[in-house]
Amino acid sequence: MTTTGYPHLLAPLNLGFTTLRNRVIMGSMHTGLEDRFYNYGKLAAFYRERARGGVGLIVTGGISPNRSGWLLPFGGTLNFKGDVINHRRVTNAVHEEGGKILMQILHAGRYGYQPFVVSASEKKSPISPFKPRALSEAGIEQTIRDYARCAKLARQAGYDGIEVMGSEGYLLNQFLCVRTNMRNDRWGGSIENRMRLPVEIVKRIRATVGPDFIIMYRHSLLDLVDGGNTWDDTVAVAKGLQHAGVTILNTGFGWHEARVPTIVTSVPRGAFASVAGRLRREVSIPVVASNRINMPQDAEGILLRGEADMVSMARPFLADAEFVVKAATGRSDEINTCIGCNQACLDHTFANKRASCLVNPRACHETELVYAKSAKPRRVAVVGAGPAGLSAATVAAECGHDVTLFDSSDSVGGQFKIAMQIPGKEEFAETIRYFRRKLDLTGVELKLGQRVTREQLLAGGFDDVIIATGIKVRRPPIEGIDHPKVLSYIDVLQKKVPVGKRVAIIGAGGIGFDVGEYLLHDPRHPLPLALDVWAKEWGVDLAGGTSGGLITPAAPEPVRQIYLLQRKTSKLGAGLGKTSGWVHRAVLARNGVVMLSGVQYNKIDDHGLHVTVGGEERLLAVDHVVVCAGQDSLTELMPSEEEAKSGPRFHKIGGAALAAELDAKRAIREGAELAASL
Ligand code: FAD
Ligand code: NAP
Ligand code: SF4
């Protein structure tokens, strides 16, 4: 592997007793596969591909040291000798590919979704229904022993070390902060007492596993909650952990209950790296930067500026197993970039489903979704170069088929070209860049600016025709819908039709919320938002000093008066992603958007939008009404029954197959699955 391009990122790291092949860590992610012994073969295949792709150090999803530490009932454990055999499959796979792997030990504390939860004190978390029991002195001693036993078993299972999860508000973070630690014994009160548990755990693990085993500790540098630690506390803990025997200090930002986003796509890239840099000046062991780092040039910049010794990326390795090898061989433009959407990873995890990736449906399905060379290559036409068509065309070509991709527009991307106009969704452009490159690499014949007809497809000599033409926007039958005040979201986002200061948005799905954010964007702040602007908006004290790293957010000056409306009586935005929806709701709420549910639309005229809400007629005196009322499938190219009897096989995917509840996750997955099965 050459080191051209990213010399710092690709430089080995000598830890004394072992050397890591580069500075890239694949951070811990709960995939859902680690919880069941029968899935360890799939888990091993998942990690094998990432190790083969060149990552320096892999960290597994969280494995609890005991039953009270479970995040979910019957979560993954390594408590007994019998568990070792499963984990061996994982470590063997990684070592066979020349990689190294740590097992993360995670005790969820009061974040556990199960009845045995324990914590420092009996304070329930806002994100779990179960009230914890405060650990007794004996319980604490048992917990320390459980961590040490878990680490010992990890060594027996062939891991190169362990990571102790100490951030994101889990048990050790709960002991560290007065927010959750109200004890007045030797485990509570001063920071020396509050840090006693993590420090004792590290000491006991080190004594158990010996000096030549990596102990990485994920330390919370900014808790981003009231009652979080000050910077001085954070440094004191880091020094205590170093003294106790930690090899590498990983970093974490924000508890799960924090109301500051830390990893969604609207968080600027590398937002927290400077904080890791400050810690690095306080300790003498390697420090890792993490959170919203998704491309090699960003990671290289962090190392070059001396903000860290290593860089941890987690979701980028769901998106692309070959991230490192592509960076190392001058092929960064081939990286399938994580766009920070959380739709197939964290949203799945929180719904207790197997994780995957919106831009790479093979993630965690490596043994099931296989892009094998076809024994009988076929001539394939794909119509529509949106996410569904791009996915189908590139996978089909990768499988050896002869593929022609048509789109009526003059560039590829479909609705993603519109989505990337939304503030905070700039990353979506990376997916288009990835597919554009992949079309070249796989040899897909691209025919742009061509609105194909059914006749052309029937006469084109194709074996298969894949209709991926997406959707047409829905125009609800409201009186006055043709009034000049009425715009579609396409008019606003794509055609850039000027919009007045007072706006009503009909429809509060993902696009209604996105249009709201677009119309609220203050043009004084260029996109993507600069880090200081973002930090002020969310009240983050990156320079340190305040408890939890929080300051009062800047009061917004809304650039428009917006009404966001839906007919349903449920809460607005209920269907948005579990881990990102709250961010969109918070942005709109702090900009004074009036959100109304149970709305009946009566008419639109020169005065504005006339509605009935809660039995009362109201006039919303707005300059424009923007319609975001969903879509219907565009299927005009599908053959008649008669035509289907002969000629090519026709298939429908993405929006063309079903417009309801369509998202890019489904569109890309359907494209890949169909193409792999041709
Ligand atoms: P499309 O993207 O609609 O692509 C269809 C393509 O077919 C188009 O390029 C069109 O030009 C072409 N076409 C149509 N007819 C013909 C013809 N006869 N001949 C040739 N070409 C033709 N999804 C998410 O998952 N997450 C998000 O955060 C998200 N945000 C969004 C924000 C906005 C503002 C918008 C508008 C959409 C967003 N989406 C999001 C939805 C996502 O973009 C769609 O689900 C996805 O693009 C659907 O993919 P598709 O390939 O089925 O259709
Ligand atoms: P959507 O989520 O289906 O929302 C459509 C909205 O229009 C709903 O609020 C619906 O609410 C309303 N509506 C439906 N029919 C109507 C009618 N006849 N008259 C008036 N209102 C009507 O669709 P979308 O917002 O257009 O988004 C399209 C897809 O893109 C979604 O499936 C979504 O997954 C995806 N997307 C995702 C994100 C994301 O962040 N994950 C962002 C943007 C888009 P009522 O029926 O209650 O009025
Ligand atoms: Fe990244 Fe979205 Fe894939 Fe998760 S689903 S890894 S956030 S691109």
Side-chain angles (χ1 to χ4, degrees), residues 315-316 318-319 337-346 356-360:
R315 298 171 299 167
L318 288 177
T337 305
C338 164
I339 58 173
C341 65
N342 285 355
Q343 285 175 239
C345 51
L346 276 178
S356 188
C357 174
L358 178 142
V359 299
N360 173 23

Side-chain angles (χ1 to χ4, degrees), residues 632-648:
D632 296 306
S633 294
L634 196 56
T635 53
E636 62 201 22
L637 293 179
M638 285 305 283
S640 65
E641 256 181 53
E642 201 47 41
E643 288 166 331
K645 286 184 187 152
S646 57

